[in-house]
Amino acid sequence: MSQADRLTFGPDGLVPAIVQDADTGEVLILAYMNAEALRLTLQTGLVTFWSRTRRRLWQKGETSGNTLALVSIHKNCEANSLLVRARPTGPACHTGNPTCYYRPIDPTTDIPPSP
């Protein structure tokens, strides 16, 4: 394996992880993993992330019970982000929505005016 093929973590030690429902293909969540979160995910089969706000590891569903069962993990062509395919138990979003991506962009309020 060449150095270019190895997973690259950012300067903060994190790599973005896009989680996709393995059965429907729907994008569920974008979170971050450090090396330990990735190791735990592979070892336990339950998706674990690094919480940037809490500054600690968190297994998805540790308090809600809405876990993500690992199916597969792939790195992108530049080896700097992950696609995690998982089977959710319950909603993936903390709001109770099945996915975190339920709010469409409103061009009148979300896009800043040109300079």
Side-chain angles (χ1 to χ4, degrees):
M1 175 184 291
S2 75
Q3 190 65 28
D5 291 333
R6 289 202 172 108
L7 186 59
T8 303
F9 293 87
D12 55 3
L14 303 176
V15 61
I18 300 163
V19 180
Q20 180 182 40
D21 186 306
D23 297 320
T24 68
E26 185 170 32
V27 174
L28 302 175
I29 186 173
L30 168 67
Y32 294 85
M33 289 183 164
N34 62 9
E36 184 63 16
L38 183 55
R39 269 192 289 280
L40 285 169
T41 297
L42 293 168
Q43 288 172 355
T44 67
L46 293 174
V47 181
T48 301
F49 301 110
W50 175 259
S51 172
R52 296 180 302 163
T53 54
R54 292 180 239 156
R55 311 273 315 144
R56 69 171 184 84
L57 291 168
W58 64 281
Q59 185 180 83
K60 178 69 178 110
E62 66 187 23
T63 57
S64 68
N66 299 326
T67 59
L68 295 168
L70 179 65
V71 172
S72 66
I73 302 179
H74 290 84
K75 57 189 172 185
N76 71 335
C77 58
E78 294 181 350
N80 62 5
S81 69
L82 299 172
L83 176 62
V84 178
R85 297 184 70 237
R87 289 197 173 92
T89 302
C93 186
H94 74 282
T95 64
N97 284 285
T99 171
C100 292
Y101 294 93
Y102 62 92
R103 299 167 35 179
I105 288 286
D106 180 339
T108 61
T109 59
D110 289 325
I111 301 173
S114 299

